[in-house]
Amino acid sequence: MKIKLPGRNSAGVVTAFYVRSVSGHDELDIEFLGNQEGKPITLQTNIFINGKGDREQRFHLWFDPTADFHDYTILWNHHQVAFLVDNIPIRMLKNVKGIGYPAGHPLKVVGSLWNASWATDGGATPIDWSYAPFQAQFRDFGVSGCPAAAYADLRGCFSPSYWWNDKQYWRLSKAQLKAYLDTRKRYMSYDYCSDSARYPTPPPECGFQ
């Protein structure tokens, strides 16, 4: 999806692009936490598996997402989940035995713009409605997906005839891995895996990201 975020003062406003299971609750989130004009907008990712979320990772983007459209991508197959910004991977989750993974339900695609009182400064900066209406722009949406209803079970969706199941998409390439590590080092502002107050023992998937 190409997205351009609301400009000016968007504190307390969340623009979201995510996929969510039709049944159960698996979810892969890209959320933009609005801010006061001139302050950076945070991109937040989250992963829900069987209804359990609280896996936030946040980034300060290296560009102004209100000034122009940028590409935001979620790649999901039975080997990895990857979140990409302008084709640069910023987050991934490997499908490792014994670690939770969103692999059991078909997903639907959702775009939204909503009032989130918690989104800016921990809720200290609410929406200023004098700046309404808040408008996010979505365009050039593309989806490649397995028609799950065509199969008696989801194993048919693992077919190598689907491009995203090709071996090159099982893991990041060397160039992608370098960009991934560099981007996280420079721009990641919060990682639940490093939050010892919330998780004295890091969740098991933290070793496979």
Side-chain angles (χ1 to χ4, degrees):
M1 181 79 79
K2 291 184 183 293
I3 304 174
K4 182 179 178 182
L5 301 184
R8 304 175 69 197
N9 187 346
S10 62
V13 176
V14 168
T15 304
F17 166 50
Y18 60 100
V19 291
R20 178 172 179 164
S21 58
V22 178
S23 60
H25 188 187
D26 290 348
E27 185 170 315
L28 307 172
D29 293 342
I30 294 176
E31 300 176 312
F32 302 90
L33 313 185
N35 211 337
Q36 298 179 71
E37 191 167 4
K39 293 186 176 182
I41 290 175
T42 296
L43 185 156
Q44 174 173 279
T45 62
N46 202 354
I47 297 174
F48 287 77
I49 301 170
N50 293 325
K52 176 67 171 66
D54 298 327
R55 297 178 171 93
E56 301 93 347
Q57 292 183 352
R58 301 184 188 117
F59 301 82
H60 289 151
L61 293 169
W62 51 96
F63 54 83
D64 179 359
T66 73
D68 205 350
F69 288 89
H70 289 267
D71 288 302
Y72 303 94
T73 303
I74 300 170
L75 171 68
W76 171 54
N77 58 33
H78 61 293
H79 294 279
Q80 67 171 346
V81 170
F83 297 81
L84 302 96
V85 177
D86 289 338
N87 212 33
I88 297 172
I90 63 169
R91 180 175 186 175
M92 62 176 296
L93 174 66
K94 297 177 183 178
N95 187 3
V96 177
K97 186 176 181 179
I99 303 298
Y101 191 77
H105 308 284
L107 305 179
K108 63 180 179 180
V109 182
V110 183
S112 64
L113 179 72
W114 51 287
N115 172 4
S117 59
W118 53 267
T120 307
D121 299 327
T125 306
I127 286 182
D128 184 343
W129 291 104
S130 69
Y131 286 90
F134 302 98
Q135 297 179 340
Q137 299 178 59
F138 298 77
R139 76 179 189 193
D140 297 344
F141 167 64
V143 59
S144 297
C146 169
Y151 297 100
D153 59 54
L154 291 181
R155 285 177 294 180
C157 294
F158 300 161
S159 167
S161 64
Y162 294 116
W163 66 261
W164 57 88
N165 289 331
D166 189 85
K167 195 170 183 178
Q168 66 178 305
Y169 299 106
W170 291 9
R171 60 185 60 86
L172 300 182
S173 68
K174 288 184 179 180
Q176 286 178 318
L177 181 59
K178 183 179 184 301
Y180 168 79
L181 295 173
D182 181 61
T183 300
R184 290 170 67 84
K185 180 179 179 180
R186 297 176 64 186
Y187 300 109
M188 188 162 65
S189 59
Y190 175 82
D191 181 4
Y192 76 104
C193 290
S194 302
D195 190 338
S196 58
R198 290 177 68 190
Y199 298 103
T201 300
E205 72 272 8
C206 291
F208 301 96
Q209 300 194 66

